Amino acid sequence: QVQLVESGGGLVQPGGSLRLSCAASKIIFSISAMGWYRQAPGKQRELVAAITSGGSTNYADSAKGRFIISRDNAKNTVYLQMNSLKPEDTAVYYCNGVPRAGSWGQGTQVTVSS
């Protein structure tokens, strides 16, 4: 069973940074790619960054140049370094496989506000 536990969110001022972590069950690292998704109030969940098992990355236009996704296969963990945060980045952030591998975790809230 795929289990995903996200952490690292919080309240940050515009221009600030946060680093999110996602601890995944070992099975999920047999999947070719992992991703970070986000869902803002009243909006659909969207994929913002993805990384393959080989380390190739892909980003939504909104994340390019500001977010960096990485993974530590030995720790079964995926990270999202978010820099130059904007109010429009406010959302609940989730990790999962790409495509989605299983049930969503609880997510971690990111709020960007002054």
Side-chain angles (χ1 to χ4, degrees):
Q1 184 177 358
V2 174
Q3 292 183 326
L4 300 155
V5 180
E6 302 91 347
S7 62
L11 173 64
V12 63
Q13 292 186 340
S17 298
L18 283 173
R19 189 191 194 209
L20 307 183
S21 298
C22 169
S25 54
K26 189 174 183 180
I27 191 173
I28 201 169
F29 277 83
S30 67
I31 296 169
S32 60
M34 289 290 295
W36 280 96
Y37 302 74
R38 69 184 181 189
Q39 186 167 22
K43 295 187 177 182
Q44 288 190 333
R45 197 170 337 223
E46 61 174 347
L47 178 65
V48 295
I51 185 167
T52 68
S53 57
S56 297
T57 58
N58 196 25
Y59 299 92
D61 287 344
S62 59
K64 286 179 181 176
R66 300 189 300 125
F67 294 2
I68 301 172
I69 188 171
S70 60
R71 63 192 288 166
D72 186 334
N73 291 340
K75 296 181 179 180
N76 299 334
T77 301
V78 180
Y79 304 97
L80 186 67
Q81 176 68 42
M82 303 188 297
N83 303 317
S84 302
L85 283 162
K86 305 175 181 179
E88 50 264 43
D89 295 318
T90 295
V92 180
Y93 285 71
Y94 304 85
C95 68
N96 212 311
V98 180
R100 183 173 65 85
S103 299
W104 296 102
Q106 85 287 350
T108 187
Q109 175 70 48
V110 172
T111 303
V112 185
S113 175
S114 56

